[in-house]
Amino acid sequence: PPPPYFQAEDGIPDLDSCLVGSEMCIRDSTETLSEMTGVADSYCQLIDRTGRAPGNWLEMLFELMPRLHAAVTALNAYDTGEVPVAAVDLDERFELYSRLRKVLGERDSYWLEFDAAPEEVHMSGSLADDLTDIYFDLLHGLDLLDEAWPQRAAQVWQSTYRLHWGQHLVDAERHLYALKVRNQLALC
């Protein structure tokens, strides 16, 4: 853990005032990655416990999603460069999707377009699909951390957020908000 911060009135200067340029960037990027790691881990654990978690897991998810959004957005300091694509296990993804869809029931589907013209096709989304895609992209970054590749994990999270799961995150946040205002987050 980092050393404690001292106040000037303690007779010891605040550590922030001792840091210069690159030292502050390293400290800030370490804290940013640590926050992202914690939120990603909390998200994956919550999804893993779906069906076994308390009936308020959607409420917990509702509270976690903005933190996830803030944490991944804060990773902008990392250069994404060339990021390898993770291997996809379609059976594993379908198994999680099916489990989430069953638990969510009627709460799963939502409309993507609310004011479509009569001649336009209405599109719908699936919260189970959103949560599944977010889960596997976050899990890939956590796996890279386990392999001692923290920079690569940050790059993967940032890149896959921009290319893939960012839209799923926005759609899931929007749908969870709609469930919240209708008092439909509690699963009984």
Side-chain angles (χ1 to χ4, degrees):
Y5 288 91
F6 298 98
Q7 301 299 321
E9 60 265 20
D10 295 334
I12 301 172
D14 186 344
L15 288 179
D16 281 344
S17 64
C18 299
L19 298 176
V20 295
S22 62
E23 291 171 330
M24 289 183 84
C25 289
I26 291 169
R27 187 211 57 206
D28 291 345
S29 66
T30 300
E31 289 174 4
T32 300
L33 182 56
S34 178
E35 174 66 15
M36 179 63 198
T37 301
V39 175
D41 189 53
S42 294
Y43 178 89
C44 289
Q45 286 183 31
L46 186 58
I47 296 299
D48 283 336
R49 291 190 322 259
T50 301
R52 298 178 305 274
N56 69 337
W57 75 272
L58 272 181
E59 183 73 40
M60 295 164 58
L61 191 62
F62 174 80
E63 293 172 6
L64 186 62
M65 298 299 257
R67 289 182 43 221
L68 178 57
H69 212 146
V72 72
T73 302
L75 289 178
N76 281 334
Y78 289 91
D79 174 29
T80 56
E82 291 294 317
V83 177
V85 176
V88 176
D89 182 340
L90 295 177
D91 291 334
E92 190 178 8
R93 281 180 182 259
F94 186 72
E95 182 181 315
L96 177 59
Y97 165 77
S98 297
R99 182 168 46 98
L100 289 170
R101 188 157 187 224
K102 181 179 179 182
V103 170
L104 289 167
E106 293 178 5
R107 293 171 180 86
D108 181 46
S109 297
Y110 58 87
W111 291 109
L112 288 171
E113 298 178 22
F114 297 101
D115 297 323
E119 66 276 356
E120 292 183 28
V121 176
H122 294 275
M123 295 178 60
S124 64
S126 164
L127 184 57
D129 180 61
D130 294 332
L131 300 179
T132 299
D133 284 348
I134 295 167
Y135 174 87
F136 281 102
D137 283 340
L138 292 178
L139 190 62
H140 179 55
L142 290 171
D143 289 344
L144 289 171
L145 283 173
D146 288 343
E147 297 169 13
W149 289 85
Q151 289 289 113
R152 180 58 81 192
Q155 292 169 334
V156 163
W157 281 327
Q158 185 180 2
S159 177
T160 57
Y161 167 76
R162 288 186 185 134
L163 298 173
H164 182 238
W165 65 272
Q167 187 62 54
H168 287 286
L169 179 62
V170 170
D171 291 342
E173 284 180 296
R174 183 183 310 116
H175 185 55
L176 287 168
Y177 176 77
L179 292 173
K180 172 79 170 175
V181 298
R182 293 191 308 257
N183 293 318
Q184 295 180 335
L185 287 179
L187 298 172
C188 300

